[in-house]
Amino acid sequence: MIPRARVAAALDLPPDTDALPPGDLPLDRFAERFLSALERPEGDETDIWTVDLFDHLVMADPKLACASLLACFDRAPERAEELGAGPLDDLVRRAGTDAVGPLEAAAPDRPALRRAMRQVSAEEIEHPFLKARIEAIRD
Protein backbone atom coordinates (compact mmCIF):
# COMPACT_ATOMS: atom_id res chain seq x y z
CA MET A 1 0.00 0.00 0.00
CA ILE A 2 1.13 3.50 -0.78
CA PRO A 3 -0.01 5.73 2.07
CA ARG A 4 -2.48 8.41 1.07
CA ALA A 5 -0.16 11.02 2.61
CA ARG A 6 2.64 9.97 0.23
CA VAL A 7 0.31 10.30 -2.76
CA ALA A 8 -0.77 13.76 -1.59
CA ALA A 9 2.85 14.86 -1.04
CA ALA A 10 3.89 13.64 -4.49
CA LEU A 11 1.09 15.64 -6.07
CA ASP A 12 1.76 18.74 -3.94
CA LEU A 13 -1.62 18.42 -2.24
CA PRO A 14 -2.34 18.91 1.45
CA PRO A 15 -2.56 15.59 3.35
CA ASP A 16 -6.22 16.19 4.24
CA THR A 17 -7.27 16.96 0.66
CA ASP A 18 -10.64 15.93 -0.69
CA ALA A 19 -9.06 15.68 -4.16
CA LEU A 20 -7.95 12.11 -3.47
CA PRO A 21 -10.16 9.12 -2.78
CA PRO A 22 -10.15 7.95 0.84
CA GLY A 23 -7.69 5.30 1.94
CA ASP A 24 -4.27 4.17 0.81
CA LEU A 25 -3.38 3.20 -2.76
CA PRO A 26 -2.97 -0.58 -3.20
CA LEU A 27 0.27 -1.52 -4.97
CA ASP A 28 -1.53 -3.66 -7.55
CA ARG A 29 -3.76 -0.72 -8.52
CA PHE A 30 -0.72 1.56 -8.71
CA ALA A 31 1.10 -0.99 -10.89
CA GLU A 32 -1.85 -1.22 -13.28
CA ARG A 33 -2.03 2.56 -13.66
CA PHE A 34 1.76 3.01 -13.86
CA LEU A 35 2.09 0.40 -16.61
CA SER A 36 -0.75 2.07 -18.48
CA ALA A 37 0.85 5.51 -18.13
CA LEU A 38 4.13 4.17 -19.51
CA GLU A 39 2.31 2.93 -22.63
CA ARG A 40 0.88 6.34 -23.48
CA PRO A 41 2.33 8.21 -26.45
CA GLU A 42 4.48 11.25 -25.75
CA GLY A 43 2.31 14.20 -24.79
CA ASP A 44 -0.60 12.07 -23.50
CA GLU A 45 -0.83 12.92 -19.82
CA THR A 46 -3.47 10.34 -18.88
CA ASP A 47 -2.49 8.86 -15.52
CA ILE A 48 0.66 11.02 -15.52
CA TRP A 49 0.16 11.42 -11.76
CA THR A 50 1.38 7.85 -11.35
CA VAL A 51 4.68 8.77 -12.97
CA ASP A 52 4.93 11.79 -10.66
CA LEU A 53 4.16 9.55 -7.69
CA PHE A 54 6.86 7.06 -8.67
CA ASP A 55 9.40 9.89 -9.07
CA HIS A 56 8.50 11.14 -5.61
CA LEU A 57 8.85 7.68 -4.09
CA VAL A 58 12.30 7.17 -5.63
CA MET A 59 13.71 9.92 -3.44
CA ALA A 60 11.30 9.98 -0.49
CA ASP A 61 10.84 6.23 0.04
CA PRO A 62 13.08 4.04 -2.18
CA LYS A 63 11.84 0.83 -0.52
CA LEU A 64 8.27 1.69 -1.44
CA ALA A 65 9.41 2.63 -4.96
CA CYS A 66 10.99 -0.86 -5.18
CA ALA A 67 7.79 -2.48 -3.95
CA SER A 68 5.85 -0.52 -6.58
CA LEU A 69 8.14 -1.71 -9.36
CA LEU A 70 8.03 -5.29 -8.10
CA ALA A 71 4.24 -5.11 -8.38
CA CYS A 72 4.73 -4.01 -12.00
CA PHE A 73 7.05 -6.97 -12.69
CA ASP A 74 4.52 -9.33 -11.13
CA ARG A 75 1.71 -7.89 -13.24
CA ALA A 76 3.63 -7.64 -16.53
CA PRO A 77 6.81 -9.76 -16.57
CA GLU A 78 6.89 -9.49 -20.36
CA ARG A 79 7.68 -5.78 -19.96
CA ALA A 80 10.82 -6.40 -17.89
CA GLU A 81 13.24 -4.88 -20.38
CA GLU A 82 11.13 -1.74 -20.81
CA LEU A 83 10.80 -1.30 -17.04
CA GLY A 84 14.50 -1.96 -16.61
CA ALA A 85 15.60 0.64 -19.13
CA GLY A 86 13.23 3.25 -17.71
CA PRO A 87 11.93 3.32 -14.14
CA LEU A 88 14.30 0.71 -12.70
CA ASP A 89 17.35 2.43 -14.16
CA ASP A 90 16.13 5.73 -12.73
CA LEU A 91 15.49 4.17 -9.32
CA VAL A 92 18.91 2.56 -9.07
CA ARG A 93 20.76 5.65 -10.28
CA ARG A 94 18.92 8.06 -7.97
CA ALA A 95 18.43 5.93 -4.85
CA GLY A 96 21.58 3.78 -5.09
CA THR A 97 22.11 1.42 -2.19
CA ASP A 98 18.72 2.29 -0.67
CA ALA A 99 17.12 0.62 -3.69
CA VAL A 100 19.58 -2.18 -4.34
CA GLY A 101 19.01 -3.93 -1.00
CA PRO A 102 15.29 -4.62 -1.58
CA LEU A 103 16.03 -5.56 -5.20
CA GLU A 104 18.68 -8.06 -4.10
CA ALA A 105 16.18 -9.65 -1.72
CA ALA A 106 13.51 -9.93 -4.42
CA ALA A 107 15.71 -11.06 -7.32
CA PRO A 108 15.97 -14.83 -6.58
CA ASP A 109 12.20 -15.27 -6.98
CA ARG A 110 11.72 -12.87 -9.89
CA PRO A 111 13.34 -13.73 -13.23
CA ALA A 112 11.70 -10.63 -14.75
CA LEU A 113 13.58 -8.44 -12.27
CA ARG A 114 16.88 -10.10 -13.14
CA ARG A 115 16.18 -9.53 -16.85
CA ALA A 116 15.26 -5.91 -16.15
CA MET A 117 18.48 -5.33 -14.21
CA ARG A 118 20.41 -6.11 -17.41
CA GLN A 119 18.95 -2.86 -18.80
CA VAL A 120 20.27 -0.73 -15.92
CA SER A 121 23.31 1.28 -17.01
CA ALA A 122 25.67 -0.11 -14.37
CA GLU A 123 28.77 0.79 -16.33
CA GLU A 124 27.99 4.46 -15.75
CA ILE A 125 27.79 4.02 -11.96
CA GLU A 126 31.02 5.15 -10.36
CA HIS A 127 30.76 3.40 -6.98
CA PRO A 128 32.39 -0.04 -7.52
CA PHE A 129 30.52 -1.78 -4.68
CA LEU A 130 27.13 -0.60 -5.94
CA LYS A 131 28.08 -1.58 -9.47
CA ALA A 132 29.07 -5.06 -8.30
CA ARG A 133 25.77 -5.49 -6.46
CA ILE A 134 23.83 -4.51 -9.58
CA GLU A 135 25.79 -6.95 -11.70
CA ALA A 136 25.23 -9.72 -9.13
CA ILE A 137 21.46 -9.27 -9.36
CA ARG A 138 21.67 -9.75 -13.14
CA ASP A 139 23.19 -13.23 -12.82
Side-chain angles (χ1 to χ4, degrees):
M1 299 290 254
I2 300 174
R4 187 174 192 268
R6 283 268 185 234
V7 176
L11 303 177
D12 292 324
L13 296 172
D16 58 349
T17 184
D18 290 332
L20 295 175
D24 297 334
L25 177 62
L27 286 178
D28 62 333
R29 189 175 320 149
F30 172 80
E32 179 182 342
R33 290 179 177 268
F34 189 57
L35 290 165
S36 176
L38 294 175
E39 289 178 348
R40 304 279 186 218
E42 184 120 5
D44 183 344
E45 295 193 358
T46 307
D47 281 340
I48 196 69
W49 66 269
T50 59
V51 176
D52 291 342
L53 175 56
F54 181 76
D55 286 343
H56 173 79
L57 292 177
V58 166
M59 296 311 294
D61 194 340
K63 289 181 182 176
L64 190 50
C66 286
S68 299
L69 268 184
L70 292 174
C72 290
F73 289 124
D74 292 346
R75 179 175 278 283
E78 70 281 0
R79 294 180 64 185
E81 287 77 11
E82 171 195 353
L83 292 167
L88 182 61
D89 185 71
D90 187 47
L91 172 64
V92 170
R93 289 165 162 283
R94 291 173 58 204
T97 57
D98 290 335
V100 170
L103 296 172
E104 286 171 324
D109 298 327
R110 288 188 170 89
L113 172 59
R114 294 191 305 275
R115 283 195 325 273
M117 286 300 286
R118 293 183 188 114
Q119 304 302 314
V120 172
S121 304
E123 45 286 336
E124 296 178 20
I125 294 176
E126 293 181 19
H127 193 285
F129 184 61
L130 179 58
K131 187 176 184 176
R133 291 173 71 187
I134 292 167
E135 290 172 356
I137 295 171
R138 295 174 174 178
D139 296 331

